């Protein structure tokens, strides 16, 4: 992973000074090991607790940070009143302590120093003034030369929101986050086209009361989306029927009555056959269909020939199983959930696959029903007074205009617009990256590197020396969520609620909160009016007072619930209800897609299959990790510090592979992983696919626990299939083979 | 009073939150753990089953670790909880060898350490840390001498097993299967 101009700096390759020499500007209150020195557990009543919500993943569970008398963060415990966690965090939330304690954290601002006479570039430590002055001068320069629009923001998480405010004030709306085009975008558009509502996060799936949960490639329990996992366990107690469609026996597949080990890339065929059975065996509620849906007759005609027998030859799922599972869903209806999943950019026809899921939910009448999807609601946070943002000449919408249903910025299109040779209308010249490790979140590394090589300036803000920081001109060390204020959390749920994040301790080292960085940059750019506060807590307090609360109250409560104002949680039987679609109905036939020239009902398209000796790359999550973000966390890396390659025993025999043998992977385009990966031989996977957990194979030596551990799946994803409807980057069409002779790679 | 734990393998997803919570609750040093998660896979594709188990000291009735301890540091306290009195432990490791569950380790400070059922929490009426954080609520802790306790009811109604019954230690961690 290196480029020509933008030489990748391993942060360990520091110039004079060296990170190791950096000393903390605040009291550390004991080193990481020091915390563990005493074996006497403290007592909860002796700890000071501070309200926060978790930032180790996007679920944002509210919690209490417990600090002992010496000022050490001892533990983080879920907030009992929080609908996201019900007092129980997941391992990552509990292990959030490790994010604070990680001695590999970014400790002070860094500025790139060009290597002279062929020497490698290095970083030098810088003061905040130097780092921020440099970024501000580049922002001014780019604005004068090309317009502010040419400075893009690529972001994820809570800190991204502060920079979004800065960028909008500065005049750039060229903003994107991998959470859309590299993750859940297709489901929002697929469900949006059907029900007139995005799924959103947390998903409004009424799992706790469902009678039948259908998971298509979604591995709840390995993805620790907290409420989903909690409600899954509750549903298991109530004898829920689980149907899991997955080429791999995921954890949840092992808890399912029906595991359908489908041939990858054929899900739409299975779903069309399910529709066929539900319609032609008349398993639907005729009254519901007539009152609430649009396009039933068209759908009936459309799926006429998609029999289970037709699907068998495509999916390898036996017709009797297809019929039986369809019947189980219908028996449970409307308390049935065909789960939209979350990371759903697979084959490029993903919006259509999500449409198929939505149509099944529509046919079974589960939207707005107990045990199906509840009608979500959130608290509207009052807008803190500030001047209106300027109107940029172009922004994410124009950059993404080839994709009519792209309703958030497409990172991939912003990246493409950053490459001079690409024929794009608008050109991006500089990036600010916050909280997203692009080499692990963006497929097609070569293309990403081309863009990195072309842009004139890159600033990266993170808490850790993630791989992306190696490409930066300036690195800004952010303090962790345990050391800062952020925006109030307001997310859709059954009961609207808000949650506070307040600092439990002072920022460690020379790190700073992102709200502070955004404000200081704003002041340098003459945008003081947008940052009319000394501390972000003033903004929060103002908003809370408008909501009838206060910062003082929220520090005591952590979470506050509000009454619903949008009406009941479910649609009553027979109630007149208008869906926010063109027809006001659940659109089995999508008028929106038809108007845009796309298939109004999903079709099955055969996707390429691996050649002999190659296997389809499937990747997923481990419950104790969030992407690459946690791979170096001292608490969590202990649980799992590398990923392994799941290989079916038949395949292992063919290649004479042994458990824990290290091999390299090579994909269809000849790309070889930077690091080898250990083999795990298991019956839990089909013979035509291999599986690995995403987020490993970090290339930055400064990540002392995770450097070189396991391999990066993202490196193997060079065939990207773009969804023509919303621009998502389909990543499951990559095939890998094994390189057993390690020396052939390493020499 | 006899404390025990029942763990529902049908609900456990193997997330290991129990492990992290134990580490932060009990200051378990980096590189060690008092509880851990195992996965057993049986069958042949596509007829495959998985059992996930959160494992720890079994707080045995007939505890070999207690029997073999030369100083009396390993002992059974009220409620049947097996503990190691750190001050009395000489770190000889006999208990580690005798444990059929591999539940003990030598703490860097020289004494042997293991799960205490979070005795310090239990005496204050709290659940052990692992039980209190579990997102799936798959762990039940309580008094099996009380026929009306939640754990007693679980053990009455659910099929169960213990690990290494052949060791004859009368373990008190039960797995609901």
């Amino acid at each position: 992973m290196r480029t020509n101009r933008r030489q990748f700096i391993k942060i360990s390759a520091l110039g004079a000074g060296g990170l190791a020499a950096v000393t903390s500007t605040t009291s550390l209150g004991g080193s990481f090991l020091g915390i563990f020195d005493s074996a006497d557990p403290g007592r909860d009543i002796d700890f000071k607790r501070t309200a926060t919500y978790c930032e180790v993943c996007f679920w944002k569970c509210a919690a209490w940070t417990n600090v002992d008398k010496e000022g050490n963060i001892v533990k983080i415990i879920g907030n009992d009143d929080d609908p996201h966690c019900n007092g129980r965090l997941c391992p990552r939330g509990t292990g959030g302590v490790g994010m604070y304690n990680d001695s590999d954290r970014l400790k002070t601002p860094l500025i790139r120093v060009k290597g002279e006479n062929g020497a490698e570039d290095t970083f030098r430590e810088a003061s905040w003034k130097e780092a921020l002055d440099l970024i501000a001068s580049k922002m001014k320069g780019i604005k004068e030369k090309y317009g502010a629009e040419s400075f893009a923001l690529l972001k994820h998480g809570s800190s991204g929101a502060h920079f979004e405010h800065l960028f909008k004030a500065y005049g750039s709306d060229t903003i994107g986050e991998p959470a859309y085009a590299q993750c859940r975008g297709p489901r929002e558009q697929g469900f949006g086209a059907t029900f007139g509502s995005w799924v959103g996060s947390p998903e409004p799936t009424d799992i706790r009361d469902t009678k039948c949960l259908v998971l298509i490639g979604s591995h709840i329990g390995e993805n620790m989306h907290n409420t989903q996992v909690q409600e899954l366990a509750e549903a298991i107690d109530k004898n829920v029927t689980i149907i899991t469609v997955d080429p791999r026996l995921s954890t949840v597949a092992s808890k399912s009555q029906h595991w359908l080990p489908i041939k990858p890339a054929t899900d739409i065929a299975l779903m069309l056959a399910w529709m066929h059975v539900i319609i032609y065996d008349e398993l639907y509620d005729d009254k519901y269909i007539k009152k609430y849906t649009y396009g039933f007759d068209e759908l009936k005609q459309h799926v006429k020939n998609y029999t289970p027998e037709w699907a068998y030859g495509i999916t390898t799922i036996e017709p009797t199983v297809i019929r039986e599972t369809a019947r189980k869903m219908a028996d449970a209806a409307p308390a049935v959930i065909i789960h939209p999943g979350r990371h759903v950019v697979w084959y490029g026809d993903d919006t259509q696959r999500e449409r198929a899921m939505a149509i099944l939910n529509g046919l079974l009448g589960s939207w707005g029903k107990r045990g199906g999807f509840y009608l979500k609601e959130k608290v509207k946070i009052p807008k803190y007074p500030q001047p209106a943002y300027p109107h940029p000449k172009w922004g994410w919408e124009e950059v993404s205009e080839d994709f009519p249903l792209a309703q958030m910025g497409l990172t991939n299109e912003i990246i493409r617009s950053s490459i001079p040779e690409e024929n794009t209308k608008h050109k991006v010249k500089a990036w600010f990256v916050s909280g997203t490790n692009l080499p692990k979140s963006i497929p097609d590394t070569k293309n990403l590197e081309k863009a990195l090589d072309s842009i004139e300036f890159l600033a990266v803000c993170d808490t850790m020396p993630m791989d992306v920081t190696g490409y930066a001109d300036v690195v800004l060390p952010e303090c962790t969520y345990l050391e800062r204020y952020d925006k109030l959390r307001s997310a859709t749920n059954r009961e609207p609620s808000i949650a506070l994040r307040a600092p439990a301790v002072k920022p460690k080292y020379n790190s700073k909160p992102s709200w502070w960085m955004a404000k200081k940059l704003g002041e340098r750019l003459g945008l003081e009016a947008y940052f009319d506060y000394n501390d972000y807590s003033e903004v929060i307090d103002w908003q809370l007072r408008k909501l009838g609360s206060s910062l003082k109250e929220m520090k005591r409560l952590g979470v506050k619930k509000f009454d619903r104002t949008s009406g009941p949680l479910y649609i009553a039987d027979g109630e007149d209800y208008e869906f926010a679609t063109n027809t006001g109905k659940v659109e089995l036939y999508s008028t929106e897609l038809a108007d845009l020239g796309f298939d109004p009902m999903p079709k099955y398209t055969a996707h390429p299959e691996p050649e002999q000796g190659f296997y389809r790359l499937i990747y997923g999550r481990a419950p104790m990790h969030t992407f690459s973000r946690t791979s170096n966390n001292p608490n969590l890396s202990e649980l799992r510090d590398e990923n392994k390659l799941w290989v079916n025993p038949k395949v292992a025999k063919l290649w004479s592979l042994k458990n824990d043998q290290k091999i390299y992977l090579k994909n269809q385009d000849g790309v070889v992983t930077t690091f080898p990966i250990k083999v795990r031989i298991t019956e839990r996977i089909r013979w035509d696919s291999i599986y690995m957990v995403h987020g490993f194979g970090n290339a930055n030596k400064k990540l002392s626990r995770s450097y070189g551990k396991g391999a990066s799946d993202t490196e193997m994803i060079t065939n990207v299939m773009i969804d023509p409807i919303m621009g998502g980057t389909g990543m499951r069409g990559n095939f890998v083979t094994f390189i057993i002779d390690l020396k052939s790679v390493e020499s | 009073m006899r404390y025990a734990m029942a763990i529902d393998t049908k609900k456990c997803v193997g997330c290991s939150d129990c492990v992290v919570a134990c580490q932060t609750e009990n200051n378990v040093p980096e590189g060690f753990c008092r509880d851990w998660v195992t996965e057993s896979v049986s069958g042949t594709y596509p007829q495959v089953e998985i059992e996930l188990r959160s494992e720890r000291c079994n707080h045995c009735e007939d505890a070999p670790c207690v029997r073999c301890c030369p100083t009396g540091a390993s002992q059974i306290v009220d409620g049947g909880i097996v503990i190691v009195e750190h001050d009395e432990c000489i770190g000889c490791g006999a208990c580690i060898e005798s444990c059929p569950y591999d539940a003990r380790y030598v703490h860097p400070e020289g004494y042997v350490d293991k799960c205490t059922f979070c005795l310090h929490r239990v005496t204050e009426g709290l659940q052990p840390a692992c039980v209190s954080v579990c997102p799936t609520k798959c762990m039940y802790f309580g008094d099996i001498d009380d026929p009306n306790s939640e754990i007693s009811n679980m053990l009455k109604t659910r099929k169960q097993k213990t690990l290494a019954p052949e060791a004859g230690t009368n373990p008190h961690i039960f797995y609901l299967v």
Side-chain angles (χ1 to χ4, degrees):
Chain A
M1 288 263 295
R2 50 185 302 142
T3 61
N4 300 323
R5 191 193 70 78
R6 186 166 305 281
Q7 196 176 48
F8 179 73
I9 306 176
K10 300 165 195 77
I11 286 198
S12 57
L14 269 171
L19 262 188
V22 177
T23 49
S24 164
T25 54
T26 56
S27 164
L28 298 192
S31 67
F32 177 59
L33 277 172
I35 290 167
F36 285 137
D37 275 348
S38 158
D40 294 323
R43 294 166 75 237
D44 287 8
I45 50 166
D46 295 332
F47 302 143
K48 183 178 147 256
R49 55 177 218 175
T50 306
T52 190
Y53 58 86
C54 188
E55 186 75 12
V56 189
C57 93
F58 40 74
W59 210 254
K60 299 188 164 76
C61 297
W64 298 106
T65 313
N66 286 253
V67 176
D68 69 12
K69 285 187 177 129
E70 286 74 45
N72 300 308
I73 297 179
V74 178
K75 60 183 177 184
I76 308 166
I77 303 293
N79 186 319
D80 287 336
D81 294 326
D82 183 34
H84 291 230
C85 77
N86 303 301
R88 290 162 184 259
L89 297 178
C90 83
R92 299 163 304 163
T94 307
V97 183
M99 202 165 157
Y100 169 76
N101 285 321
D102 196 332
S103 53
D104 291 341
R105 272 173 62 171
L106 291 167
K107 298 181 175 78
T108 198
L110 301 171
I111 292 177
R112 173 180 290 260
V113 181
K114 293 293 279 180
E116 282 176 26
N117 305 322
E120 285 192 2
D121 289 3
T122 53
F123 280 123
R124 69 172 175 86
E125 291 163 18
S127 66
W128 276 101
K129 184 177 179 309
E130 276 181 291
L132 295 173
D133 281 350
L134 178 56
I135 297 173
S137 76
K138 292 289 178 183
M139 286 178 81
K140 278 184 201 158
I142 294 282
K143 190 172 185 170
E144 279 163 23
K145 216 162 137 192
Y146 309 105
E149 297 87 347
S150 291
F151 210 131
L153 170 66
L154 301 173
K155 66 178 182 88
H156 186 266
S158 300
S159 36
H162 300 293
F163 295 117
E164 181 171 351
H165 173 56
L166 170 72
F167 269 68
K168 284 182 172 167
Y170 160 71
S172 172
D173 196 22
T174 312
I175 300 173
E177 53 184 292
Y180 184 75
Q182 281 71 49
C183 196
R184 55 193 181 87
R187 77 166 195 200
E188 309 302 1
Q189 306 317 142
F191 275 68
T194 314
F195 299 109
S197 168
W198 278 27
V199 176
S201 178
E203 291 82 3
T205 43
D206 207 14
I207 298 177
R208 69 179 183 196
D209 283 328
T210 197
K211 292 180 186 152
C212 181
L213 177 63
V214 184
L215 299 168
I216 299 170
S218 169
H219 51 358
I220 297 178
E222 280 156 294
N223 68 39
M224 266 326 266
H225 303 160
N226 201 343
T227 338
Q228 304 260 306
V229 178
Q230 293 191 13
E231 294 196 15
L232 172 74
E234 211 178 321
I236 289 173
D237 267 343
K238 295 191 222 165
N239 291 320
V240 64
T241 298
I242 307 174
I243 299 165
T244 300
V245 180
D246 201 314
R248 181 180 69 95
L249 185 85
S250 58
T251 299
V252 70
S254 78
K255 299 182 187 302
S256 305
Q257 286 78 358
H258 302 274
W259 171 39
L260 279 51
I262 194 166
K263 181 172 165 182
T266 67
D267 311 270
I268 294 180
L270 172 68
M271 286 190 275
L272 290 170
W274 272 341
M275 290 175 209
H276 175 95
V277 176
I278 291 167
I279 292 175
Y280 286 92
D281 288 2
E282 296 181 358
L283 303 177
Y284 56 89
D285 176 350
D286 194 39
K287 262 196 243 158
Y288 179 90
I289 295 289
K290 285 207 172 87
K291 186 169 171 67
Y292 294 106
T293 70
Y294 174 84
F296 179 78
D297 294 338
E298 286 88 341
L299 182 68
K300 186 172 179 176
Q301 186 55 34
H302 179 66
V303 300
K304 193 176 171 196
N305 296 324
Y306 297 141
T307 61
E309 286 69 23
W310 164 81
Y312 179 37
I314 296 168
T315 62
T316 73
I317 306 299
E318 289 182 19
T320 50
V321 174
I322 296 177
R323 288 206 167 81
E324 190 190 352
T325 46
R327 209 164 265 282
K328 288 263 173 83
M329 290 178 221
D331 285 348
V336 56
I337 300 166
I338 291 86
H339 198 288
R342 188 146 181 139
H343 174 84
V344 292
V345 280
W346 297 354
Y347 307 112
D349 55 0
D350 305 305
T351 302
Q352 292 290 6
R353 189 185 63 256
E354 289 291 328
R355 268 277 295 158
M357 297 180 187
I359 290 169
L360 280 164
N361 283 303
L363 273 177
L364 298 168
S366 65
W367 192 268
K369 291 290 176 181
R370 182 183 293 277
F373 293 78
Y374 59 79
L375 301 176
K376 61 195 178 181
E377 189 177 324
K378 71 190 270 186
V379 179
K380 203 162 187 280
I381 304 287
K383 210 166 171 271
Y384 184 74
Q386 63 182 40
Y389 292 131
H391 293 289
K393 288 193 204 71
W394 54 275
W396 68 263
E397 284 188 71
E398 287 72 18
V399 170
S400 314
E401 70 190 1
D402 288 348
F403 304 94
L405 278 188
Q407 291 182 344
M408 277 175 73
L410 302 176
T411 34
N412 36 309
E413 285 299 296
I414 292 174
I415 290 166
R416 207 165 69 83
S417 302
S418 309
I419 301 172
E421 307 87 83
E422 290 283 349
N423 181 25
T424 57
K425 201 192 284 178
H426 305 288
K427 288 293 169 198
V428 172
K429 298 291 184 183
W431 298 354
F432 193 109
V433 175
S434 167
T436 175
N437 186 23
L438 298 178
K440 293 279 184 292
S441 55
I442 302 291
D444 195 357
T445 308
K446 253 205 184 122
N447 206 50
L448 173 65
E449 289 190 335
K450 236 194 247 171
L452 285 163
D453 203 22
S454 307
I455 53 175
E456 295 181 12
F457 185 72
L458 172 65
V460 176
C461 171
D462 211 314
T463 65
M464 294 293 298
M466 303 309 294
D467 287 355
V468 66
T469 56
Y471 297 94
D473 294 299
V474 181
V475 179
L476 301 176
E478 188 186 19
C479 59
T480 68
Y481 66 103
L482 302 169
E483 305 158 281
R484 68 186 197 224
Y485 281 107
D486 265 315
K487 290 193 168 193
L488 289 167
R489 184 202 76 190
S490 171
T492 52
N493 229 300
R494 293 185 178 94
E495 269 181 289
S497 69
I498 53 169
L500 173 71
R501 175 182 289 162
V505 288
K506 281 187 185 153
K508 221 178 191 186
Y509 310 117
N510 192 18
S511 64
K512 296 280 187 190
S514 45
W515 69 260
W516 180 88
M517 295 180 222
K519 175 178 158 66
K520 292 293 165 189
L521 284 169
E523 287 167 359
R524 283 164 167 80
L525 295 166
L527 303 170
E528 297 88 345
Y530 292 89
F531 298 92
D532 173 27
Y533 42 83
N534 292 313
D535 192 275
Y536 199 71
S537 58
E538 296 164 33
V539 177
I540 298 171
D541 192 41
W542 183 91
Q543 292 172 322
L544 286 169
R545 285 174 190 283
K546 289 272 171 197
L547 287 169
S549 178
S550 65
L551 185 59
K552 197 176 163 204
E553 184 189 55
M554 284 302 287
K555 280 185 169 176
R556 184 166 53 79
L557 298 177
V559 171
K560 187 168 175 144
K561 289 180 183 168
F562 291 78
D563 290 334
R564 282 177 71 94
T565 55
S566 65
L569 200 52
Y570 306 114
I571 304 168
D573 288 344
E575 178 188 334
D576 288 330
Y577 187 88
E578 193 171 330
F579 291 85
T581 54
N582 290 338
T583 57
K585 309 264 187 199
V586 174
E587 294 204 353
L588 305 175
Y589 175 101
S590 169
T591 56
E592 184 181 26
L593 290 176
D595 288 349
L596 293 168
F598 296 112
D599 292 334
M601 291 170 291
K603 286 180 185 151
Y604 167 69
T605 315
H607 293 291
E609 290 180 29
E611 286 180 26
Q612 195 173 349
F614 281 78
Y615 308 91
R616 186 182 298 271
L617 168 66
I618 303 173
Y619 52 85
R621 304 276 300 276
M624 62 290 284
H625 285 293
T626 305
F627 325 133
S628 55
R629 180 183 300 184
T630 52
S631 55
N632 203 68
N633 179 308
N635 294 82
L636 303 178
S637 65
E638 259 196 89
L639 300 174
R640 185 166 305 180
D641 67 351
E642 63 186 336
N643 55 0
K644 289 189 180 182
L645 188 77
W646 293 32
V647 179
N648 180 284
K650 288 194 179 105
V651 176
K653 196 174 169 199
L654 202 65
W655 288 81
S656 304
L657 295 174
K658 302 268 176 303
N659 266 321
D660 285 334
Q661 179 180 349
K662 280 188 174 181
I663 60 170
Y664 285 93
L665 301 178
K666 183 168 84 174
N667 77 356
Q668 71 284 338
D669 296 324
V671 178
V672 179
T673 50
T674 306
F675 302 104
I677 184 169
K678 284 181 191 161
V679 169
R680 176 195 172 173
I681 301 168
T682 178
E683 297 282 359
R684 290 177 61 182
I685 189 159
R686 287 172 63 100
W687 55 85
D688 53 5
S689 306
I690 52 99
Y691 170 80
M692 60 205 279
V693 169
H694 169 74
F696 289 91
N698 285 314
N700 198 334
K701 280 189 174 151
K702 192 59 200 163
L703 297 167
S704 62
R705 287 176 204 85
S706 68
Y707 168 77
K709 298 266 182 75
S712 163
D713 54 307
T714 316
E715 282 182 325
M716 293 290 94
I717 302 171
T718 53
N719 177 36
V720 180
M721 292 165 291
I722 305 285
D723 189 323
I725 300 175
M726 52 61 68
T729 53
M731 308 192 208
R732 296 265 167 103
N734 289 270
F735 310 117
V736 299
T737 189
F738 311 142
I739 301 179
I740 311 279
D741 179 11
L742 301 185
K743 284 198 190 104
S744 69
V745 177
E746 287 160 5
S747 62
Chain B
M1 173 78 85
R2 204 334 167 170
Y3 289 119
M5 199 180 275
I7 301 170
D8 189 346
T9 62
K10 298 286 182 203
K11 286 203 288 183
C12 175
V13 294
C15 75
S16 308
D17 200 8
C18 45
V19 182
V20 189
C22 174
Q23 287 174 327
T24 60
E25 179 67 33
N26 296 300
N27 300 335
V28 178
E30 196 173 350
F32 299 95
C33 59
R34 291 180 176 187
D35 57 352
W36 60 93
V37 174
T38 62
E39 173 196 315
S40 343
V41 182
S42 55
T44 310
Y45 174 92
Q47 304 298 325
V48 193
E49 286 183 16
I50 313 173
E51 186 176 279
L52 292 159
R53 287 190 307 268
S54 171
E55 298 186 3
R56 58 187 50 59
C57 169
N58 277 255
H59 298 277
C60 306
E61 198 80 49
D62 189 3
C65 53
V66 173
R67 241 184 300 130
C68 75
C69 178
T71 67
S74 278
Q75 52 192 270
I76 297 178
V77 298
D78 283 354
I81 299 178
V82 177
I83 64 151
V84 182
E85 197 65 70
H86 295 162
D87 294 346
E88 293 171 26
C89 176
I90 54 170
C92 72
C95 55
I96 294 176
E97 293 306 314
S98 76
C99 175
Y101 304 104
D102 202 14
R104 295 168 163 241
Y105 69 94
V106 181
H107 192 282
E109 288 182 5
Y111 54 81
V112 168
D113 191 43
K114 61 174 274 298
C115 164
T116 63
F117 268 165
C118 279
L119 188 57
H120 65 289
R121 289 175 61 91
V122 172
T123 51
E124 293 194 353
L126 299 168
Q127 297 272 296
C130 54
V131 179
S132 74
V133 298
C134 177
T136 66
K137 296 188 186 170
C138 75
M139 304 162 90
Y140 304 87
F141 175 82
D143 179 9
I144 51 167
D145 281 350
D146 172 2
N148 297 318
S149 66
E150 188 181 31
I151 185 171
S152 293
N153 283 325
M154 292 308 290
L155 293 173
K156 260 181 263 172
T157 52
R158 290 281 300 271
K159 208 173 137 194
Q160 62 209 254
K161 69 173 185 186
T162 55
L163 299 182
E166 67 280 3
T169 60
N170 194 0
H172 277 70
I173 304 285
F174 300 93
Y175 292 94
L176 308 176
V177 293

